[in-house]
Amino acid sequence: MKKTFLRPFALLVLLLTVICIWPTAITLAAPDLHVSVQTGLDKKTKTGKGAPIVFTIENKGSAFAGDLIVDTTTSQSNRIGQSVPIAIGEGEVQTITVVVDSIEDPMMYGNPVKKNIFFYENGWKSGEEIPHSGTQLITSTSLPQESLFIAGLADNIDRLSSLKDLSLKNQEGTHLLNLTKKGKTPIPSERTGWDAVDIIAIDNYSIADLSQKQQEAMLGWVEAGGTLLVGGSQNVAAEAGIFSSNLPLNITGTQQLSPSLFNEKFKEFIPGFSAEIQPESIILAEKEDTILAASKRLGSGMILQTTFTIGSEAFKSSPGVKSFWTELLNNRQKVLKQRASQMYYSLPTDDLVFSVGEANELFPSFKVSTPLLFGIISIYIILIIPILYIVLRKKDKREHAWWIIPAIAVLVSFGIFAYGGKDRLGTSQLQHSAVYFVEPNKKMTGYYAESLLTDKAGDFTFSVQKPSTVTTNSSMNSLFGSTVPAHEGAVLEKGATEEILAFRNLGFWNVASIYGHTELDSIGTFETDLKLENKTLTGTITNNFPFSVKDVMILSGNKKINLGSIPAGETLTVQEDVKVTVLGSRVSSQNIYMNPVASNQDDLIKLRKEGLLNFSSTHMNESTKPILSATTDTQIMELELTDRKAKNSPLSMVLQPIDIDTKLSGSVRVDSDQMEMELLSASGNPAELIDEMVKDYIFSETDYTQTWKLPEDFVESVDNWSKLQLFGVDANRYEVSLFNVKTGSYEQVEAKTSPIIEPANEYVTEDGKVLLKLKFNDRQLGEASHPPELRLTGEVEK
């Protein structure tokens, strides 16, 4: 009896034990991941710029194989999840670097995001999310884009201490990043990892010791517009690695450089080297026939090489070192020949959504013929009410009206639906809009918008060429702009040769868009031979691209000179009256938010073209030369929907700065839109441009210097400036003084809206500059003000 009782009791105890232990066993068998994160280079990032994120992952449980997903935010509606495959064994610790195209605080747009790091065992497509401990949310205190980031590569960062606290034009604060200290972010092996950096400074450091991928990433960054600063070294050619063949100087020997070669505040001799200038290089600093620094263009960027040792104690501790660096680094803009950057309301990828994306998401099939619909409804009403009544009454079948009326209504509704949706049934639709800028090395950089109109619900996968940045937007999908994780709307996988983007769970007749920046190797250029004389533009333009172009025009100031179309490989003869004596850079546009409305297909194409022009005039407008613009129906970049058929409508715009041989004669006039203008406060900060169209600025200090720079054609040709006139002077807000070159002092200008000074020779410098001082009333600071505009009249040398 006792044994009979004990046996079921023992089984019950065993069962309860198994039930209690089983969850623990399951837990012990699962991966147990702990995550810590380091964001940016030397823990610093810039708003909207790419950045490396270093994950340190410790696995305290069983082996893990799957995907790490990082959700990133680029605007209120643009978000994406980036997937990285990983495998971590039991007890292992791995360090993984993920480079994201843009880094911003996910909380800045008001979304209550609590988590943007996710792990999916067996991959995000079919696997399940597993929890992890440690960092859940990547946050970053991003600095403004105007901040100057100098990435330091040296055996001791103190050797580059002279580069701290510089005040350069159009820059807000200097940050020296230490990239060689142990425990810091690894040197990026992707170009986007350098995105936030303005200057990479090298001293007593061998680039050649970096991996091939790291060197290629650095090279790509320079070609995209970065500045590589290389300090003087006996073995610089060997240490420069991938840059060796592009160094601007050939070191020939060692020498001690006199302090007088730098500036009056230098007191000690500086260790340095004698050097010879290399072909296609420009000397930036030279005195007494001794070269101190030279530069060489490399793509859109440059290599700046010094003959002195940056890290020597005599140089970095000199009282004059800050002013020397300021002058030298400001001079690099002369080599790049680019206008100073201006402050914008938002980032390029944000403006791309409104200026290009809104028009790009308007598909022709959205519009149904209003007269036709009205006619169908009218016929339906006539058929249902009088005709049907007469017919049924005549046949004495009025009792059948109960089913005939709804049947006809269903048929008419189906007919209207079929007609309205005929272009949206059976195949997806794509609209591709892109604008490209032809760089000096003939490579092309640009921005693109790809919009998808779905023909059914489900997942849609795209392949995008590298290098390209990718972000997404879905105007009809509630996943975007909500608290739902970004990767549940779109996931990006970075491959070796392409990016793979997957939209997830898009709805029927949903519109979703892809936005980003892209680069292409040289595929062609426009070859121009143009001359401007007596306000007449003549010459030829040859289309060396492998596609025909139309809407060819020259953009200068506010002018658009329409020239027509050019088939691939053919030449257009130009003979146009332009009504100006000189063609210069085009002005920027702030007409970003268009709220597009179109009545037909032609209007849709026109809206897309206008969007590309407006966007490019704001964010692709650094050249000081006139711009040749053209459009093509060819999709230039490689971007395609991979898993479904789609009807595509591509539109690409190409922009290329051009030289025009200008012959001036007689009396000439130069207006403000033909000149470069800079507004800097007494402390070196730029005034904030808030409206390019009306040219209003915010002035936060009392004293500003306004500098106008004449085009080179006028500087070289005009020998007598007869009249100087200012326009739009707001005498109630500020006083204006004009710099007199002869006396070397400023003279107060009469308080008028449009004062005139005759003659004007004494107010134009030899290098073609006119300088004004603006002194503001303290009570007006922080309010929008219109600074003076300038017009000069002169006579050309005979």
Side-chain angles (χ1 to χ4, degrees):
M1 183 73 180
K2 190 173 183 181
K3 288 183 179 181
T4 304
F5 173 77
L6 288 176
R7 183 174 296 175
F9 179 76
L11 289 174
L12 178 62
V13 171
L14 179 61
L15 179 62
L16 291 173
T17 303
V18 169
I19 291 173
C20 293
I21 295 177
W22 181 256
T24 305
I26 294 295
T27 302
L28 292 174
D32 181 8
L33 305 180
H34 180 82
V35 178
S36 60
V37 176
Q38 181 175 305
T39 307
L41 294 172
D42 201 6
K43 298 182 180 180
K44 292 183 174 64
T45 62
K46 275 188 187 177
T47 300
K49 293 291 187 179
I53 303 175
V54 181
F55 294 86
T56 302
I57 306 171
E58 181 182 2
N59 185 4
K60 301 177 182 178
S62 61
F64 172 84
D67 291 334
L68 159 66
I69 289 186
V70 183
D71 281 359
T72 58
T73 304
T74 58
S75 71
Q76 187 170 1
S77 58
N78 291 0
R79 304 189 297 155
I80 196 168
Q82 184 168 323
S83 174
V84 180
I86 60 173
I88 308 177
E90 183 179 348
E92 286 187 0
V93 177
Q94 279 194 21
T95 299
I96 298 169
T97 301
V98 178
V99 176
V100 295
D101 295 335
S102 176
I103 187 75
E104 289 191 12
D105 185 354
M107 306 294 287
M108 70 181 296
Y109 298 107
N111 292 327
V113 179
K114 297 181 180 180
K115 182 177 181 180
N116 57 12
I117 303 173
F118 304 86
F119 290 91
Y120 283 86
E121 195 164 20
N122 301 319
W124 62 269
K125 292 181 180 179
S126 58
E128 294 185 1
E129 182 190 355
I130 66 168
H132 67 276
S133 59
T135 305
Q136 304 290 322
L137 182 67
I138 301 170
T139 57
S140 173
T141 306
S142 294
L143 295 163
Q145 286 201 62
E146 294 76 26
S147 302
L148 179 68
F149 277 17
I150 301 178
L153 296 176
D155 59 349
N156 184 344
I157 196 64
D158 186 59
R159 295 180 63 87
L160 299 171
S161 59
S162 61
L163 291 167
K164 292 180 179 179
D165 304 322
L166 300 181
S167 297
L168 303 187
K169 291 180 181 179
N170 304 302
Q171 305 285 172
E172 294 184 0
T174 304
H175 302 269
L176 180 61
L177 313 181
N178 183 3
L179 301 191
T180 51
K181 183 179 179 181
K182 289 184 178 180
K184 295 290 182 180
T185 306
I187 305 299
S189 56
E190 295 181 40
R191 202 216 71 188
T192 310
W194 292 106
D195 202 21
V197 174
D198 301 284
I199 299 171
I200 298 178
I202 307 288
D203 183 72
N204 202 27
Y205 185 90
S206 177
I207 298 175
D209 291 340
L210 298 176
S211 70
Q212 186 66 24
K213 282 189 175 182
Q214 288 173 320
Q215 294 187 54
E216 289 174 353
M218 195 180 295
L219 174 62
W221 168 82
V222 173
E223 291 180 333
T227 297
L228 178 67
L229 172 60
V230 181
S233 169
Q234 183 69 54
N235 301 315
V236 65
E239 295 169 350
I242 201 170
F243 298 99
S244 295
S245 59
N246 288 299
L247 291 174
L249 294 173
N250 177 36
I251 301 298
T252 57
T254 60
Q255 64 174 335
Q256 293 292 310
L257 302 174
S258 170
S260 62
L261 298 174
F262 296 86
N263 58 46
E264 66 279 359
K265 293 184 179 181
F266 277 76
K267 304 301 180 183
E268 298 181 38
F269 278 82
I270 308 298
F273 305 88
S274 56
E276 298 173 344
I277 192 74
Q278 294 285 73
E280 301 180 359
S281 300
I282 298 174
I283 296 175
L284 287 186
E286 182 182 32
K287 197 170 183 180
E288 300 174 10
D289 295 326
T290 300
I291 300 173
L292 296 178
S295 66
K296 186 175 182 179
R297 289 293 300 271
L298 192 57
S300 297
M302 61 180 286
I303 300 175
L304 197 164
Q305 183 182 1
T306 71
T307 59
F308 53 87
T309 304
I310 296 175
S312 67
E313 189 64 34
F315 176 78
K316 67 181 184 180
S317 62
S318 171
V321 71
K322 300 295 183 187
S323 59
F324 176 82
W325 275 131
T326 300
E327 182 178 358
L328 177 61
L329 295 179
N330 280 334
N331 281 344
R332 70 194 170 107
Q333 292 296 335
K334 297 179 181 179
V335 177
L336 297 175
K337 295 182 181 178
Q338 293 177 338
R339 288 185 289 182
S341 60
Q342 296 174 324
M343 295 182 180
Y344 306 114
Y345 284 113
S346 55
L347 300 168
T349 49
D350 291 347
D351 282 350
L352 195 63
V353 174
F354 297 101
S355 60
V356 179
E358 286 191 351
N360 207 59
E361 291 185 345
L362 295 177
F363 287 82
S365 58
F366 284 166
K367 188 167 183 62
V368 180
S369 174
T370 302
L372 181 60
L373 283 179
F374 181 77
I376 293 173
I377 294 172
S378 299
I379 293 172
Y380 170 73
I381 294 173
I382 294 172
L383 178 67
I384 288 296
I385 298 176
I387 296 178
L388 183 63
Y389 176 77
I390 293 171
V391 171
L392 293 178
R393 181 181 180 185
K394 185 176 181 180
K395 292 181 177 293
D396 196 22
K397 299 288 185 180
R398 283 173 290 180
E399 69 274 13
H400 291 279
W402 70 269
W403 66 267
I404 293 176
I405 291 175
I408 293 175
V410 170
L411 289 173
V412 171
S413 299
F414 180 79
I416 293 174
F417 172 82
Y419 175 79
K422 66 182 186 301
D423 295 323
R424 289 183 266 176
L425 296 169
T427 182
S428 299
Q429 294 180 56
L430 298 172
Q431 290 193 153
H432 175 89
S433 298
V435 56
Y436 304 94
F437 188 86
V438 180
E439 303 287 355
N441 61 354
K442 299 183 180 180
K443 290 186 176 182
M444 296 169 65
T445 61
Y447 294 86
Y448 69 92
E450 178 94 356
S451 297
L452 163 72
L453 172 59
T454 67
D455 64 318
K456 61 187 69 175
D459 295 346
F460 291 78
T461 304
F462 289 82
S463 67
V464 187
Q465 70 172 38
K466 294 187 73 171
S468 296
T469 63
V470 179
T471 189
T472 62
N473 174 280
S474 178
S475 58
M476 299 181 186
N477 195 327
S478 62
L479 290 177
F480 290 80
S482 71
T483 58
V484 176
H487 68 275
E488 293 188 16
V491 175
L492 177 68
E493 297 176 322
K494 293 194 172 187
T497 59
E498 61 183 356
E499 319 276 23
I500 303 298
L501 171 69
F503 281 109
R504 306 178 67 186
N505 303 317
L506 288 181
F508 176 62
W509 284 357
N510 196 175
V511 174
S513 292
I514 311 170
Y515 300 96
H517 180 270
T518 191
E519 300 175 19
L520 300 97
D521 290 331
S522 175
I523 60 173
T525 60
F526 293 112
E527 183 181 333
T528 62
D529 183 10
L530 298 171
K531 181 166 68 174
L532 179 58
E533 186 173 7
N534 297 324
K535 299 183 180 181
T536 300
L537 181 66
T538 58
T540 59
I541 301 173
T542 301
N543 176 14
N544 290 326
F545 287 98
F547 45 76
S548 297
V549 295
K550 54 188 178 181
D551 306 314
V552 179
M553 66 179 77
I554 293 176
L555 308 174
S556 172
N558 289 310
K559 291 182 68 67
K560 296 178 182 178
I561 304 170
N562 297 301
L563 301 175
S565 303
I566 315 176
E570 296 192 15
T571 299
L572 173 70
T573 300
V574 178
Q575 179 80 31
E576 295 285 335
D577 294 329
V578 296
K579 299 180 181 180
V580 293
T581 53
V582 167
L583 293 172
S585 58
R586 65 170 173 167
V587 298
S588 296
S589 168
Q590 291 292 323
N591 187 26
I592 292 295
Y593 307 103
M594 300 191 305
N595 294 320
V597 176
S599 59
N600 55 51
Q601 171 65 9
D602 291 337
D603 283 352
L604 285 177
I605 296 296
K606 182 180 177 181
L607 282 174
R608 290 165 66 188
K609 290 177 182 177
E610 289 176 353
L612 292 172
L613 269 178
N614 286 333
F615 171 81
S616 64
S617 73
T618 302
H619 296 287
M620 303 171 70
N621 199 28
E622 295 184 331
S623 175
T624 58
K625 298 178 181 181
I627 300 295
L628 182 63
S629 169
T631 63
T632 177
D633 296 332
T634 301
Q635 181 169 316
I636 301 176
M637 70 176 292
E638 296 178 8
L639 193 164
E640 64 177 342
L641 183 62
T642 59
D643 54 354
R644 301 171 186 262
K645 291 183 178 180
K647 179 183 177 182
N648 193 13
S649 172
L651 172 65
S652 302
M653 180 175 290
V654 178
L655 307 171
Q656 179 178 320
I658 58 173
D659 293 305
I660 298 176
D661 183 16
T662 303
K663 302 293 183 183
L664 299 177
S665 61
S667 178
V668 296
R669 189 181 80 183
V670 195
D671 291 313
S672 58
D673 63 356
Q674 296 175 282
M675 293 181 269
E676 298 176 55
M677 191 272 285
E678 184 179 60
L679 270 168
L680 291 177
S681 70
S683 60
N685 295 317
E688 182 179 353
L689 176 65
I690 60 170
D691 193 326
E692 177 66 36
M693 299 304 292
V694 298
K695 296 181 171 60
D696 277 351
Y697 289 76
I698 293 293
F699 298 88
S700 55
E701 300 181 38
T702 56
D703 296 302
Y704 281 81
T705 300
Q706 185 182 40
T707 304
W708 293 92
K709 178 71 172 65
L710 288 162
E712 289 298 327
D713 296 315
F714 289 103
V715 178
E716 296 171 358
S717 302
V718 178
D719 63 345
N720 178 39
W721 294 104
S722 56
K723 183 168 70 173
L724 183 154
Q725 187 172 5
L726 299 178
F727 294 92
V729 176
D730 193 345
N732 295 322
R733 296 198 172 191
Y734 53 79
E735 297 176 355
V736 181
S737 299
L738 191 60
F739 183 73
N740 187 312
V741 178
K742 187 175 181 180
T743 63
S745 60
Y746 283 87
E747 301 173 358
Q748 189 165 339
V749 177
E750 189 176 1
K752 291 183 177 180
T753 303
S754 302
I756 298 175
I757 294 94
E758 296 179 298
N761 275 334
E762 293 182 358
Y763 304 98
V764 182
T765 66
E766 287 187 7
D767 58 350
K769 292 180 180 179
V770 176
L771 307 176
L772 291 86
K773 285 282 189 185
L774 309 182
K775 187 173 182 61
F776 281 81
N777 185 324
D778 286 343
R779 291 172 295 178
Q780 305 295 336
L781 294 182
E783 297 182 11
S785 299
H786 186 282
E789 295 183 50
L790 174 68
R791 175 185 292 167
L792 281 170
T793 305
E795 300 293 329
V796 176
E797 298 178 15
K798 295 183 179 178

